[in-house]
Amino acid sequence: MCGIAGIVGVAESDPARREIVRRMTATLYHRGPDGEGFAGAAGCELGFRRLAIVDLEAPPPPFANEDGSVLTACNGEIYNGAELAAELAARGHRLRTSVDTEVLPHLYEEHGADCVRRLDGMFAFAIWDAALKRLILGRDRAGEKPLFYFEDDGTLVFASELRALLEHPQAPRALDPVALRRYLLHDFIPAPLSPFAGIRKLPAAHLLVWERGRTRLVRYWDLAPFFAPPEGRRVPFREAAAELDARIALAVRRRKRAHTAVGVFLSGGIDSSTVLAHLREQEGEGVPAFVLGHRDPAFDESGYARATAEALGAEFEALVLDEQGLEAGLQLVAEQFDEPLADASTIPTLLLARFARQRVKVILSGEGADELFGGYPTYIGDRVAELYRRLPAPARRAFVAFLRALAPVRMSNVGLDYLAQLFAREALRERVERHHAWFGSLPPPHDDAVLAPRVMERLRGDDPFASARAVLAGRELPDALAQLLYTDFTMYLQDDLLTKVDRATMLACLEARAPFLDHELAEYVAGLPSPFKVRGHETKRILRAAVRRRLPGEVLRRRKRGFNIPFSRWLLHGLGERLRERFSRERVEARGLFRHEGVARLIEEHLLRRANHRKPLYALLALDLWCDRTYGEGVRVPVAEARPVEAGLPA
């Protein structure tokens, strides 16, 4: 696990450009505290920070081929690196180390840009071909590893994180209003957007090819074609469950490869418990299992995790948080995250990563299971909403009144009251809009009441759901569940969950690996019939069947809770007053992004317990803290003109 940075252009290499790359690389120290490396050639400068996981004494990359005509740097892990190295050696290539990413320059010599299709792993890489004056940037299939870039007058600048790009004097710094609106809708900024106009994220499963000042994007993998039509694969359920269990075991085996200690993030839910069960079977007892607990019993799930750890013979390591610890975590996120993310679970994830890093250097986690197996309640909610839309208006009003009477506003963990509010507010939208409105914080028209007039002026004609619609455009998926699973795998997983885990673990110098994101496993699961995943009110049906003999019954029966913190109550215990001060009329008008009246209404309704606005209030707080860090406290934010970007992505 590492960080990369670089500049390519038509100009010859020069000391000034090398110095910029060194400054960019220095900002990525947390991604790789075990060493740094640099390489230059005519037209290209590469920088690298290393977190040593395999071949701990090897010199840091960049790596080159035998004659130095191909230079490579890679952030991530190539799980089939040893197999590829043996294959390359048999063809006469000479590798100096057993570091997995050294295969890249030699694999490129054999296969060109198609070498990416041979890689099994999580990665963001740069390959410089000196003979062709060509740069290839690549990102893994799910988007576990990040890569940002911008172009300036024939030059391309790229890095693992935004903080590195901002070391370049020509880096764009004006806020992208389209990205701002997408952030308020989704709680994250979907690729290829970034918070800055002119800086882009390379989307997952894409290559960027730069050649003599011109760039093009190429999509090399897509999960959509693997979803089987209803009349397609006819495999018995039990047979599919047994096959799934074997494939999960293989994915865990691939991801445990390391020359250092490996542990598991354990929540007590089925996803991380499955990973732990397989790792325990392969490694024996004593696997370190890191668990987060809360002083607030409504949010504390450590008891389930402890029972699972004890049943599987793991070493239980618990970090128990209170409000004071969470506030310290919020400060860390504000100071160290270099892009806004409105996912409050970022705070405990960062704290747990720092806690785990005291014992291990590699952690396995359960990301991806919900998006593959149908773990979110919104998948059931979608079916209910379709029935609800067919009811006559009086019946719909009676149903909503019943839900509200059944579930008055509470400030506890996600429960029936919160889900009922969301359902009632968004159920009449069409599927794409409804699904994203359920997941996010401020869908339209609610964002109109919050965004400042100068921002709305720039957004005239913008479709807030354009990023969501672009994901499904031109793709044939067999049914509604497949559409939702594919959407969440492509957007929410990539730009929220994996972004959160990558930044939180890297800030702790910890490498996180997600076995469920093995691309062969994902392809297999996508091809299973939708009723194998969700049927009636049962989610993750086939996953539960696959691991039934491995896990305690209470783990299999638990409904999904999520990795939540008591932010709603936190607002009532003092943070709400600080939000009033932070979003005072004077400060809001000085910043120039929001309407004071709209933000103040959200704060007051929450503090008066008329509504639970924890999600939009956290989204606004996270963004304002990011603006403080990026532009200065209370400083007016420059806002660029809006430019649509989704249409430029390859299908």
Side-chain angles (χ1 to χ4, degrees):
M1 194 63 59
C2 315
I4 64 174
I7 302 174
V8 295
V10 294
E12 294 298 308
S13 179
D14 62 69
R17 190 169 62 188
R18 285 197 295 272
E19 176 57 30
I20 293 172
V21 171
R22 286 184 177 272
R23 292 204 311 269
M24 293 169 64
T25 305
T27 68
L28 302 174
Y29 178 87
H30 57 283
R31 299 189 76 90
D34 296 331
E36 65 179 5
F38 300 92
C44 174
E45 298 286 345
L46 295 179
F48 182 86
R49 293 289 328 180
R50 186 185 188 208
L51 179 65
I53 302 296
V54 175
D55 197 350
L56 306 184
E57 302 304 319
F63 289 120
N65 62 342
E66 288 84 352
D67 65 7
S69 62
V70 178
L71 295 175
T72 64
C74 181
N75 164 28
E77 296 290 338
I78 309 301
Y79 301 123
N80 62 337
E83 292 82 358
L84 291 171
E87 176 186 315
L88 290 164
R91 296 183 65 84
H93 292 270
R94 298 189 305 277
L95 281 71
R96 297 179 294 119
T97 75
S98 59
V99 175
D100 52 292
T101 58
E102 195 187 351
V103 302
L104 274 174
H106 308 279
L107 203 64
Y108 174 78
E109 285 186 293
E110 294 287 336
H111 301 284
D114 276 348
C115 69
V116 68
R117 302 179 190 274
R118 301 292 310 282
L119 302 179
D120 172 19
M122 55 177 184
F123 50 80
F125 64 69
I127 300 175
W128 173 249
D129 184 329
L132 297 178
K133 300 292 184 186
R134 172 195 290 165
L135 176 78
I136 298 174
L137 301 179
R139 194 168 175 212
D140 65 72
R141 295 168 178 84
E144 292 182 75
K145 296 294 104 190
L147 198 57
F148 296 85
Y149 67 94
F150 73 88
E151 299 177 74
D152 178 60
D153 193 24
T155 296
L156 184 85
V157 186
F158 63 90
S160 296
E161 295 185 14
L162 286 168
R163 72 184 80 226
L165 289 186
L166 296 182
E167 290 295 315
H168 195 286
Q170 302 305 317
R173 286 171 169 79
L175 187 70
D176 186 338
V178 174
L180 172 60
R181 189 183 221 177
R182 302 291 195 275
Y183 167 84
L184 294 178
L185 167 59
H186 298 295
D187 289 346
F188 56 83
I189 298 174
L193 294 166
S194 88
F196 301 107
I199 295 180
R200 293 288 177 254
K201 300 175 189 173
L202 181 63
H206 280 70
L207 298 177
L208 181 150
V209 181
W210 179 98
E211 199 162 3
R212 302 183 186 277
R214 300 177 66 87
T215 62
R216 57 189 173 92
L217 288 178
V218 178
R219 185 165 199 149
Y220 68 86
W221 182 85
D222 190 5
L223 189 62
F226 294 95
F227 283 89
E231 68 279 5
R233 183 182 300 173
R234 297 292 185 183
V235 56
F237 183 81
R238 288 186 179 180
E239 181 182 317
E243 175 69 14
L244 173 61
D245 188 54
R247 287 176 177 265
I248 294 172
L250 178 59
V252 170
R253 188 175 301 280
R254 288 169 173 166
R255 279 151 187 79
K256 73 174 184 179
R257 293 178 178 178
H259 295 165
T260 185
V262 177
V264 175
F265 277 166
L266 183 64
S267 68
I270 189 173
D271 308 338
S272 59
S273 298
T274 295
V275 172
L276 176 60
H278 277 283
L279 188 59
R280 190 267 188 198
E281 182 172 277
Q282 296 170 19
E283 294 292 302
E285 294 189 353
V287 173
F290 300 95
V291 177
L292 191 71
H294 285 288
R295 298 289 183 198
D296 187 333
F299 290 79
D300 182 44
E301 298 188 315
S302 60
Y304 296 102
R306 179 184 291 276
T308 303
E310 290 175 350
L312 296 174
E315 290 188 19
F316 183 81
E317 300 273 357
L319 172 65
V320 180
L321 292 176
D322 55 17
E323 209 166 278
Q324 185 176 2
L326 289 170
E327 186 154 356
L330 175 61
Q331 188 64 31
L332 283 172
V333 169
E335 292 172 353
Q336 299 187 36
F337 266 54
D338 66 352
E339 60 182 305
L341 184 62
D343 186 337
S345 67
T346 300
I347 297 171
T349 303
L350 175 56
L351 295 173
L352 188 61
R354 288 160 63 96
F355 178 68
R357 184 62 177 86
Q358 298 172 37
R359 278 206 55 188
V360 301
K361 212 171 185 178
V362 176
I363 204 82
L364 303 188
S365 66
E367 272 70 36
D370 286 313
E371 294 77 13
L372 290 171
F373 297 103
Y376 297 123
T378 48
Y379 303 140
I380 299 172
D382 177 74
R383 296 179 179 181
V384 176
E386 288 299 303
L387 296 173
Y388 172 80
R389 282 159 58 93
R390 298 173 197 165
L391 295 174
R396 290 200 302 265
R397 287 194 294 269
F399 182 66
V400 169
F402 169 75
L403 286 178
R404 287 174 173 160
L406 185 68
V409 175
R410 295 184 177 91
M411 299 296 175
S412 58
N413 204 344
V414 174
L416 184 60
D417 62 315
Y418 186 76
L419 296 176
Q421 286 181 52
L422 280 181
F423 182 90
R425 192 183 74 184
E426 310 295 351
L428 289 179
R429 293 183 187 264
E430 56 88 17
R431 176 169 288 118
V432 169
E433 294 190 7
R434 178 176 67 226
H435 185 68
H436 291 280
W438 275 344
F439 262 89
S441 290
L442 282 167
H446 307 288
D447 56 348
D448 293 358
V450 169
L451 288 170
R454 71 168 181 140
V455 176
M456 293 303 297
E457 176 65 26
R458 285 167 170 78
L459 290 169
R460 187 177 299 171
D462 172 64
D463 174 11
F465 292 94
S467 295
R469 299 190 212 282
V471 166
L472 294 174
R475 287 173 176 81
E476 296 184 6
L477 292 155
D479 52 38
L481 180 64
Q483 292 174 18
L484 297 178
L485 293 173
Y486 178 77
T487 295
D488 289 340
F489 185 92
T490 306
M491 287 186 70
Y492 179 61
L493 177 66
Q494 174 189 181
D495 293 312
D496 186 311
L497 300 183
L498 296 180
T499 297
K500 171 188 69 179
V501 171
D502 173 80
R503 304 310 189 275
T505 54
M506 284 287 87
L507 285 168
C509 302
L510 180 72
E511 173 169 308
R513 301 176 178 178
F516 287 111
L517 296 182
D518 180 285
H519 72 276
E520 293 177 352
L521 173 61
E523 292 164 4
Y524 175 77
V525 176
L528 295 174
S530 286
F532 281 18
K533 302 163 192 174
V534 179
R535 189 176 69 175
H537 66 278
E538 185 181 7
T539 60
K540 297 183 184 174
R541 181 172 169 242
I542 194 165
L543 178 59
R544 296 178 200 278
V547 297
R548 182 166 287 119
R549 67 180 179 84
R550 298 183 179 278
L551 299 180
E554 58 267 27
V555 173
L556 296 170
R557 291 189 294 270
R558 289 185 66 214
R559 73 174 181 86
K560 184 169 185 60
R561 296 291 296 274
F563 200 30
N564 298 308
I565 65 170
F567 188 71
S568 300
R569 298 181 182 180
W570 190 5
L571 286 165
L572 300 175
H573 297 164
L575 183 61
E577 279 301 319
R578 300 214 302 278
L579 244 64
R580 278 191 178 125
E581 296 171 8
R582 173 170 284 275
F583 291 105
S584 67
R585 181 176 298 278
E586 180 182 21
R587 241 181 145 272
V588 168
E589 291 179 353
R591 183 76 84 196
L593 295 181
F594 305 121
R595 296 177 187 266
H596 173 261
E597 293 80 6
V599 178
R601 180 184 60 80
L602 292 173
I603 295 172
E604 296 310 315
E605 286 183 355
H606 188 96
L607 296 184
L608 293 172
R609 299 175 184 256
R610 292 175 181 166
N612 187 341
H613 290 313
R614 63 177 182 84
K615 281 177 66 65
L617 289 177
Y618 186 84
L620 293 169
L621 174 61
L623 180 67
D624 201 57
L625 288 168
W626 177 83
C627 288
D628 281 351
R629 182 178 184 273
T630 304
Y631 300 106
E633 188 170 346
V635 171
R636 191 170 187 82
V637 174
V639 178
E641 295 297 321
R643 292 188 300 170
V645 297
E646 290 85 2
L649 284 178

